[in-house]
Amino acid sequence: MPDTRLHSMEIDTDKIKTLLELMVQHDVSRIEIAEGESRILLRRGHTPSVIAPAITPQPFALAPNPGPAAAPAAPTASSPVAEETFIRSPMVGTFYTAPDPESPAFVQSGEIVTPDRVVCLIEAMKVFNEIKAEVSGRITRVLVKNAQAVEYDQPLFAIVAT
Amino acid sequence: MPDTRLHSMEIDTDKIKTLLELMVQHDVSRIEIAEGESRILLRRGHTPSVIAPAITPQPFALAPNPGPAAAPAAPTASSPVAEETFIRSPMVGTFYTAPDPESPAFVQSGEIVTPDRVVCLIEAMKVFNEIKAEVSGRITRVLVKNAQAVEYDQPLFAIVAT
Amino acid sequence: MFNRILVANRGEIALRVIRACRELGVEVVAVYSRADRDAAYLNLANDAVCIGAEAPAHSYLNAAAILSAAEITNVEAIHPGYGFLSENPTFAQMCRDCRIEFIGPSSDAMRKLGNKVEAKLLAKAARVPLVPGSDGVVADEDEAVAVAERIGYPVMIKASAGGGGRGMRTAHNEVSLRTNFRNARVEAENAFKDGSLYIEKLVERPRHVEVQLLGDRKGNLIHLFERDCSLQRRHQKLVEESPSPHIDRKTRDRLCTAAVRLAKAAGYYSAGTCEFIVDHENNFYFMEINARIQVEHPVTELVTGVDLVKWQIRIAAGESLSLKQTDVAHSGAAIECRINAESPDDGFRPCPGPVHDFIMPGGPGVRVDTHAHAGCTVSPYYDSMVAKLLVHRPTRADALVAMRRALGEFVIGPIRTTIPLHQTIFEHADFVRGDVDTGFIEREIMPGSRGASSGG
Amino acid sequence: MFNRILVANRGEIALRVIRACRELGVEVVAVYSRADRDAAYLNLANDAVCIGAEAPAHSYLNAAAILSAAEITNVEAIHPGYGFLSENPTFAQMCRDCRIEFIGPSSDAMRKLGNKVEAKLLAKAARVPLVPGSDGVVADEDEAVAVAERIGYPVMIKASAGGGGRGMRTAHNEVSLRTNFRNARVEAENAFKDGSLYIEKLVERPRHVEVQLLGDRKGNLIHLFERDCSLQRRHQKLVEESPSPHIDRKTRDRLCTAAVRLAKAAGYYSAGTCEFIVDHENNFYFMEINARIQVEHPVTELVTGVDLVKWQIRIAAGESLSLKQTDVAHSGAAIECRINAESPDDGFRPCPGPVHDFIMPGGPGVRVDTHAHAGCTVSPYYDSMVAKLLVHRPTRADALVAMRRALGEFVIGPIRTTIPLHQTIFEHADFVRGDVDTGFIEREIMPGSRGASSGG
């Protein structure tokens, strides 16, 4: 029996139905979707500890497509190279490291930040939006230059949990 | 690579295509169907005895092309089910089991033949060509009916080495 | 001409606009949601910007994100495609307030035509026929009967607050009108907390015929003949063609000139479509103007040789429409099939998923507009159209033959598509004769499926 | 009309004939070699027969196997496509002796036109210009000089027994003529054991222009205008277009009527092509008649709207050509690119292999004729053409733009193709101006590649 847990009130039952059908169709054991405030986790079948004689990997992963020219391939959060994760842009806009050209940067590489710490500004539609770290950790790299355009979901800072 | 062996001349490629799609959809590794004179065995992926932690079926193998409508998929000679091989048609033409309608067949199922034994005639361009066994062995099955059209490389007789 | 524009859409229409830009020598910026990040057509844009998460509300309907993308990429105009923000006058105005041209009609014309009441007033003023009716709310049963007697039975009883078919009843005589009127009022009061009803003549077995319009900002406006889109399932068009097999030359002329009259009265420019329903006596009634490029625009491109998307861009850049009405000739017959990732046998359930097999038809007279290819994935987040298959041949009979041939060649798998449904349609005697109406699919092709799919 | 025909070919032209049959409602039998058993187009035939092993000699050139396949499948006619047995009069006669119609001209016309000497005699009799020359073998140096003075320098010295460019020398004056004549004689004696030589005027920077012909068995014969195929590499056409950007209207008329005159004199019917070379003063000279459908026939189909393959079949079935010369109008400009699985950077080395990525261009004005698709394999046994990409637009300038756009969309991988070469060609100022000749590719696009590829 499928195990479906929903971590948000704003759910779309039609979408979940479609997803469940897709899971069955492609023998997918787990789908996790985060979308703004919503998070959906769907799981079916055996847990990975039970090894079945024939495992079908998700066909979605079998169709590599080099992705758009201008879009940097977003590193996956679960990258095994280090415990590095990313602070990502929640919007399209222009990235600013400091509140104004005269001030120092909000954060420097190497600094330890708390979730509420403002790490940068993103200007969109003439509005400067303060972006918070949302997680605790040490900033290891600043991935975007001051006044550079950023797109949705683009990694801004690399951060390692402390 | 999918291993598809067809034990009958009167096959329905549409049905096979449907079956293959069903196999892929439901991750079925083997389907065997017996229906009157026809027998169909479809197998895909690795053999069950080799268990790998993660098996990746080739995505291109998942796109079966059933071949031409009228052309039976030629069984592969290296089939592991038995040591059965095939005497194949060296030309396009009409297959005859006997030198004339009054005579008995050149060979019968169960007979042992030598390489020089004439096993059938194939008429092409008004010429009757004697077809020899070319190998030694026991004829296990006659795969084509008398006066039936055959194409190049089509299996005519199944034969097991003695 | 613009140096650089942005396409605020996805899928085949985004690719269509990119194609037009590449041919015009205009740089083009694509935007994409996280679901579309691997879309192959993004490689054809000069730049591509991720604007949000999978759900349309977070990406393709996110006006702020799109305008931000337009600002950071320095574009001079935005092409909205169809759907999403394409008919949103507020978005059009936001673009223009940011000094980014919205490639479409004026925000004012969009607003007027988007309002059903205003659009009908405009049509009336332009002497374009409307479905006869009560001309507003009817007070009671007796007034309803009086209206019905004036316009003739059968009639529709509609709830003022209703929409999309809800709260509608038909009446074929006075007895059923009185009964249904009372029932409809109770139903409307319960459903919408507003019991006001109006009466309209019921057009039986209506045909959907629309006129393609193209105008510039200097008041030049022409039609590019009609498209017949009668083959629909639940108001979703499945097959479109030009010329219409239903109407005679005189009706066509009257229809096209009525559409031009109405669009001129609305101060319309850019590409647009005036939709009519046509009855079996060739009476036609105005429905609405779609103030955008339409899915089926290639049908008109094939029979007229006019590139509508390029003209949209040129007109938005301030160019004059150099085409005069007399320059536009209608040649041959063109038909489009919308191939959707849906299972017609299973209540038109959407069938998204990875596409492994994709063999496109080709050869004489075939045009395919698609963003799909082997190795792509049909996303569950957006509409299910995977390809528009078109043919253009000297006659409708030739076009039918070519479409059957092309449908037979088109391989899309393992996802299910509407190709088998189209094959059934193109063998159906009524369709071959050109004798269908908007109820044809449910009545003739899918009897019984109405109930089966009503829960979906 | 036939009930059932057989296509004695493979690849895109087999698919082209299958498409014509499906539209005509004629059943069609495909044949295939062991290498082509998985070809997707075989699924579109009513029947498919394996006729032999991979090598062409064992399958597509195996007349007996093809006729046996025709017999066991009970067809009434055989379409030979191009290449393979298509210009073999013996095969045509074998078919007809078996009471199977060969879809092409009469065996007699094929034989006459296949013989260079007879073809030139026919042309002369029909007052079609030939390249001026010695009109046969020249006895010695002095006679060669006399001929050269009559026809004017530069001249070609050719070995009677030579062919395909072997044993050819050019001379620009008497001194080089005398030296090269002696050298050529020694070379020819050594190479062919036949020292006889003849002289022909050297046409410098020649353009290749050909006229499409279509005739029935009752003597009706028309032309369908010209195609310009000057863009070649080693006599392999790369780009074909219509109209020719090189010739004026008057030359075009003279060329087309000369081709019709010659074909009528040969008693020609079915589709055929009369090839000419044209110099910079618009002088044209007959080269040969190709007695078959050609690779580039879709160029003519686009500009005339005439389906040439359907007409071939109708004419073979005994139908009259209902098209009159005045019915055929030339509309717009069409261009074809032959996309080959070859590596232009590496001496045009063939690059067969599996095709994983295949995204076909589409949208306005694009036609693609191809048997390839994602998942297919380009076989090493046959020619390397994977697709014919065509565009048809109102003007040549528009067609160039559309072709650049379409080439940019076409994804074929991981095999290498000539797409990048075509992109270079379509950016080259000389080609854009329409000023190229048959030596253009080697001279302008691939300088230095001649040596690199001469071993191939």
Side-chain angles (χ1 to χ4, degrees):
Chain A
M1 284 295 289
D3 161 10
T4 55
R5 278 176 299 123
L6 311 166
H7 293 267
S8 165
M9 294 299 99
E10 280 177 62
I11 53 159
D12 178 350
T13 49
D14 277 351
K15 187 194 293 174
I16 288 169
K17 202 177 160 196
T18 306
L19 284 173
L20 283 173
E21 277 164 9
L22 276 173
M23 289 176 76
V24 172
Q25 199 176 328
H26 301 292
D27 195 23
V28 172
S29 56
R30 185 187 168 98
I31 288 185
E32 202 168 342
I33 293 173
E35 205 178 272
E37 294 290 313
S38 307
R39 213 163 71 82
I40 297 175
L41 169 67
L42 303 175
R43 208 158 54 177
R44 60 178 278 280
H46 299 269
T47 56
S49 59
V50 182
I51 296 167
I55 294 165
T56 306
Q58 294 84 330
F60 286 93
L62 297 182
N65 223 320
T76 53
S78 60
S79 161
V81 175
E83 304 91 338
E84 235 178 40
T85 56
F86 297 97
I87 301 172
R88 292 167 182 277
S89 176
M91 64 186 72
V92 182
T94 307
F95 173 91
Y96 292 101
T97 51
D100 55 75
E102 282 72 44
S103 304
F106 289 110
V107 286
Q108 303 279 354
S109 184
E111 248 184 278
I112 288 172
V113 297
T114 53
D116 274 343
R117 172 72 172 271
V118 171
V119 290
C120 63
L121 297 179
I122 294 181
E123 186 246 298
M125 307 294 291
K126 321 287 180 217
V127 176
F128 288 82
N129 302 278
E130 293 190 339
I131 307 302
K132 291 177 181 172
E134 305 288 357
V135 290
S136 298
R138 183 189 302 276
I139 300 288
T140 52
R141 285 176 297 148
V142 184
L143 301 167
V144 183
K145 284 188 187 129
N146 190 49
Q148 188 182 315
V150 292
E151 55 186 2
Y152 173 79
D153 224 28
Q154 182 172 335
L156 306 173
F157 300 92
I159 186 166
V160 175
T162 45
Chain B
M1 285 291 292
D3 162 7
T4 54
R5 280 176 300 120
L6 312 164
H7 292 270
S8 165
M9 294 301 99
E10 282 178 59
I11 54 158
D12 177 347
T13 49
D14 277 350
K15 188 193 295 172
I16 289 172
K17 201 176 163 193
T18 307
L19 284 174
L20 283 172
E21 278 165 3
L22 279 171
M23 289 176 77
V24 172
Q25 205 177 322
H26 299 293
D27 194 25
V28 172
S29 57
R30 185 187 167 97
I31 289 184
E32 204 167 342
I33 293 173
E35 208 176 87
E37 294 289 313
S38 306
R39 212 162 71 82
I40 296 175
L41 168 66
L42 303 174
R43 210 157 54 175
R44 57 180 277 280
H46 295 266
T47 56
S49 58
V50 183
I51 296 164
I55 294 165
T56 308
Q58 294 86 325
F60 288 97
L62 298 182
N65 222 320
T76 52
S78 59
S79 158
V81 175
E83 303 89 340
E84 233 177 43
T85 57
F86 296 96
I87 300 172
R88 291 167 183 278
S89 175
M91 65 185 71
V92 182
T94 308
F95 173 91
Y96 292 102
T97 51
D100 55 74
E102 282 73 43
S103 304
F106 290 109
V107 286
Q108 303 278 355
S109 184
E111 249 183 277
I112 288 174
V113 297
T114 53
D116 275 342
R117 173 72 172 273
V118 172
V119 290
C120 64
L121 296 179
I122 293 180
E123 187 246 297
M125 307 292 294
K126 323 286 178 219
V127 175
F128 288 83
N129 303 278
E130 293 190 336
I131 307 302
K132 291 178 179 171
E134 304 289 358
V135 290
S136 297
R138 183 189 302 277
I139 301 287
T140 51
R141 282 174 301 144
V142 184
L143 301 168
V144 183
K145 285 189 188 129
N146 191 49
Q148 187 181 316
V150 292
E151 55 186 0
Y152 174 79
D153 225 28
Q154 182 172 334
L156 305 174
F157 300 93
I159 186 166
V160 175
T162 44
Chain C
M1 178 50 71
F2 304 119
N3 293 306
R4 198 171 165 86
I5 74 169
L6 181 143
V7 194
N9 215 301
R10 66 175 300 282
E12 74 85 18
I13 193 63
L15 176 55
R16 175 70 188 88
V17 177
I18 291 170
R19 284 175 169 152
C21 289
R22 287 174 73 101
E23 295 196 7
L24 286 169
V26 173
E27 289 195 5
V28 56
V29 177
V31 296
Y32 61 98
S33 76
R34 204 156 48 185
D36 287 331
R37 59 161 42 120
D38 294 329
Y41 61 83
L42 299 177
N43 295 318
L44 300 173
N46 298 81
D47 207 343
V49 179
C50 183
I51 49 164
E54 292 79 359
H58 295 139
S59 45
Y60 302 110
L61 284 170
N62 184 344
I66 289 166
L67 280 167
S68 291
E71 283 189 352
I72 66 170
T73 54
N74 260 316
V75 300
E76 295 156 74
I78 292 180
H79 195 298
Y82 50 69
F84 296 128
L85 295 166
S86 63
E87 292 188 280
N88 184 325
T90 309
F91 178 68
Q93 198 50 54
M94 279 169 80
C95 291
R96 287 162 177 153
D97 290 346
C98 294
R99 297 184 174 279
I100 292 170
E101 183 51 25
F102 175 86
I103 300 174
S106 71
S107 315
D108 180 56
M110 287 170 79
R111 204 168 283 123
K112 264 191 269 182
L113 296 168
N115 180 309
K116 290 215 169 189
V117 176
E118 266 200 73
K120 289 197 172 173
L121 288 175
L122 267 172
K124 206 167 187 179
R127 290 164 295 111
V128 175
L130 294 164
V131 177
S134 56
D135 236 3
V137 171
V138 291
D140 53 32
E141 265 177 61
D142 289 339
E143 193 187 332
V145 170
V147 170
E149 273 165 10
R150 174 167 58 80
I151 63 177
Y153 288 96
V155 298
M156 295 279 281
I157 307 159
K158 292 185 174 180
S160 297
R166 295 201 310 156
M168 273 164 48
R169 305 241 161 174
T170 61
H172 284 75
N173 52 49
E174 188 180 331
V175 177
S176 65
L177 175 57
R178 288 184 183 275
T179 314
N180 286 336
F181 192 88
R182 284 192 296 270
N183 292 342
R185 171 150 287 172
V186 173
E187 197 176 279
E189 270 163 359
N190 289 338
F192 315 116
K193 298 195 169 67
D194 175 2
S196 46
L197 301 174
Y198 63 100
I199 305 287
E200 231 172 53
K201 188 166 176 60
L202 172 67
V203 179
E204 288 182 289
R205 301 211 169 183
R207 282 89 182 259
H208 175 118
V209 183
E210 60 190 29
V211 176
Q212 177 67 52
L213 300 163
L214 191 61
D216 65 19
R217 300 162 88 157
K218 289 138 193 162
N220 302 306
L221 190 134
I222 60 172
H223 71 81
L224 292 101
F225 302 97
E226 83 285 11
R227 293 183 294 257
D228 194 301
C229 313
S230 300
L231 259 169
Q232 307 183 346
R233 179 189 161 269
R234 302 181 160 208
H235 305 288
Q236 294 298 308
K237 295 166 186 166
L238 286 168
V239 177
E240 300 103 344
E241 61 181 300
S242 185
S244 168
H246 293 121
I247 59 173
D248 56 26
R249 174 167 284 275
K250 204 176 127 197
T251 307
R252 173 201 251 193
D253 289 346
R254 285 169 52 223
L255 206 62
C256 291
T257 52
V260 168
R261 217 158 52 227
L262 174 48
K264 280 191 171 170
Y268 197 86
Y269 57 79
S270 191
T273 300
C274 188
E275 295 193 338
F276 296 93
I277 53 173
V278 182
D279 73 13
H280 278 58
E281 280 83 46
N282 278 331
N283 297 307
F284 59 87
Y285 308 104
F286 169 71
M287 298 300 286
E288 57 178 335
I289 285 193
N290 292 315
R292 53 169 162 82
I293 195 77
Q294 278 187 287
V295 174
E296 60 271 27
H297 76 273
V299 170
T300 299
E301 294 188 327
L302 288 174
V303 292
T304 62
V306 174
D307 189 314
L308 291 168
V309 178
K310 280 191 195 166
W311 269 116
Q312 279 191 301
I313 298 169
R314 286 196 195 103
I315 287 163
E319 282 188 30
S320 298
L321 184 65
S322 56
L323 288 173
K324 284 175 190 56
Q325 189 65 62
T326 48
D327 296 334
V328 184
H330 190 293
S331 159
I335 314 184
E336 172 177 283
C337 286
R338 298 192 191 188
I339 313 295
N340 296 332
E342 292 169 355
S343 174
D345 295 343
D346 192 11
F348 285 84
R349 177 177 58 84
C351 297
V355 175
H356 294 145
D357 306 316
F358 195 84
I359 306 182
M360 231 161 86
V366 171
R367 169 174 169 179
V368 186
D369 278 37
T370 182
H371 59 296
H373 55 88
C376 81
T377 293
V378 176
S379 168
Y381 298 99
Y382 313 111
D383 86 87
S384 61
M385 195 172 71
V386 284
K388 303 192 301 203
L389 171 58
L390 295 111
V391 296
H392 182 215
R393 301 274 75 191
T395 65
R396 186 173 191 267
D398 291 340
L400 293 175
V401 158
M403 184 60 90
R404 282 187 209 110
R405 190 268 290 171
L407 285 166
E409 289 179 22
F410 213 155
V411 175
I412 306 177
I415 61 165
R416 307 282 302 272
T417 71
T418 48
I419 290 172
L421 173 72
H422 282 109
Q423 290 179 312
T424 304
I425 291 168
F426 276 77
E427 297 294 344
H428 196 290
D430 290 354
F431 176 70
V432 169
R433 207 170 49 240
D435 182 19
V436 300
D437 59 74
T438 57
F440 174 80
I441 295 287
E442 274 99 344
R443 193 176 61 243
E444 298 288 335
I445 303 282
M446 324 236 64
S449 77
R450 196 187 289 214
S453 63
S454 66
Chain D
M1 179 49 70
F2 304 118
N3 292 306
R4 196 170 166 88
I5 74 169
L6 181 143
V7 195
N9 215 302
R10 66 175 300 282
E12 74 86 18
I13 192 64
L15 176 55
R16 176 71 188 86
V17 176
I18 291 169
R19 284 174 170 153
C21 289
R22 287 174 74 101
E23 293 196 7
L24 285 169
V26 174
E27 289 195 6
V28 57
V29 177
V31 296
Y32 61 98
S33 77
R34 203 156 48 185
D36 288 330
R37 59 162 40 121
D38 293 329
Y41 62 83
L42 298 178
N43 295 320
L44 300 173
N46 298 81
D47 207 343
V49 179
C50 183
I51 49 164
E54 292 80 357
H58 295 140
S59 45
Y60 301 110
L61 284 170
N62 184 346
I66 289 166
L67 280 167
S68 291
E71 283 189 352
I72 66 172
T73 54
N74 261 317
V75 300
E76 295 157 74
I78 292 180
H79 195 299
Y82 51 68
F84 296 129
L85 295 166
S86 63
E87 292 187 280
N88 185 325
T90 309
F91 178 67
Q93 199 50 55
M94 280 169 78
C95 291
R96 287 163 177 151
D97 290 347
C98 294
R99 298 183 175 279
I100 292 169
E101 184 52 24
F102 175 87
I103 299 173
S106 71
S107 315
D108 180 54
M110 288 170 81
R111 205 169 279 122
K112 264 191 270 182
L113 295 168
N115 179 308
K116 290 215 169 190
V117 175
E118 266 200 74
K120 287 195 176 177
L121 287 174
L122 267 172
K124 206 168 186 178
R127 292 165 293 109
V128 175
L130 294 164
V131 177
S134 56
D135 234 3
V137 171
V138 291
D140 54 31
E141 266 178 62
D142 289 340
E143 195 188 330
V145 170
V147 169
E149 275 166 8
R150 174 168 56 81
I151 64 177
Y153 287 97
V155 297
M156 294 280 283
I157 308 157
K158 291 186 175 180
S160 297
R166 295 201 309 158
M168 274 164 48
R169 304 242 162 175
T170 60
H172 286 75
N173 52 48
E174 187 180 331
V175 177
S176 66
L177 175 57
R178 287 185 184 274
T179 315
N180 285 337
F181 192 87
R182 283 192 297 270
N183 293 341
R185 171 149 287 171
V186 173
E187 198 177 278
E189 270 164 359
N190 289 337
F192 314 117
K193 299 195 169 66
D194 176 359
S196 48
L197 302 174
Y198 64 100
I199 305 288
E200 232 173 53
K201 187 166 176 60
L202 171 68
V203 178
E204 289 182 290
R205 303 211 168 181
R207 282 88 182 258
H208 175 119
V209 183
E210 60 190 27
V211 177
Q212 177 67 52
L213 299 164
L214 191 61
D216 66 18
R217 299 162 88 157
K218 289 137 193 164
N220 301 307
L221 191 135
I222 60 171
H223 71 81
L224 292 102
F225 302 97
E226 83 286 10
R227 294 183 293 257
D228 194 301
C229 313
S230 300
L231 259 169
Q232 307 184 346
R233 180 189 159 267
R234 302 183 157 209
H235 306 288
Q236 295 296 309
K237 295 165 186 166
L238 286 168
V239 176
E240 299 102 344
E241 60 182 301
S242 186
S244 168
H246 293 121
I247 59 173
D248 56 25
R249 174 168 283 277
K250 204 177 128 197
T251 306
R252 174 200 250 191
D253 289 346
R254 285 170 52 222
L255 206 63
C256 291
T257 52
V260 168
R261 217 158 52 227
L262 174 47
K264 281 192 170 169
Y268 197 87
Y269 58 78
S270 191
T273 300
C274 188
E275 295 193 337
F276 296 93
I277 54 173
V278 181
D279 72 14
H280 279 57
E281 280 83 47
N282 277 333
N283 298 307
F284 60 87
Y285 308 104
F286 169 71
M287 298 299 285
E288 59 178 336
I289 285 192
N290 292 314
R292 53 170 162 82
I293 195 78
Q294 279 188 286
V295 174
E296 61 270 27
H297 76 273
V299 171
T300 300
E301 294 187 328
L302 288 173
V303 293
T304 63
V306 174
D307 189 314
L308 291 169
V309 178
K310 279 191 196 165
W311 270 115
Q312 280 191 299
I313 297 169
R314 287 196 195 104
I315 288 163
E319 282 189 30
S320 299
L321 184 65
S322 57
L323 288 172
K324 284 176 191 55
Q325 189 64 62
T326 48
D327 296 334
V328 183
H330 189 292
S331 159
I335 314 184
E336 171 178 284
C337 285
R338 298 192 191 186
I339 312 294
N340 296 331
E342 293 168 356
S343 174
D345 295 342
D346 192 11
F348 285 84
R349 177 177 58 82
C351 297
V355 175
H356 294 144
D357 307 315
F358 195 84
I359 306 182
M360 233 161 85
V366 171
R367 168 174 170 180
V368 186
D369 278 36
T370 182
H371 59 297
H373 55 89
C376 80
T377 294
V378 176
S379 168
Y381 298 101
Y382 314 110
D383 87 86
S384 60
M385 195 170 73
V386 284
K388 303 191 303 202
L389 170 59
L390 295 111
V391 295
H392 182 214
R393 301 273 74 190
T395 66
R396 186 172 191 268
D398 291 340
L400 293 175
V401 159
M403 183 61 89
R404 281 187 209 110
R405 190 269 289 171
L407 285 167
E409 288 179 21
F410 212 156
V411 176
I412 305 177
I415 60 165
R416 308 281 301 273
T417 71
T418 48
I419 290 172
L421 173 72
H422 282 109
Q423 290 179 310
T424 305
I425 292 168
F426 276 76
E427 296 294 344
H428 196 289
D430 291 354
F431 176 70
V432 169
R433 208 169 47 240
D435 182 19
V436 300
D437 59 75
T438 57
F440 173 80
I441 294 288
E442 275 99 343
R443 195 174 60 243
E444 299 287 335
I445 302 283
M446 323 236 64
S449 77
R450 194 186 289 213
S453 63
S454 66

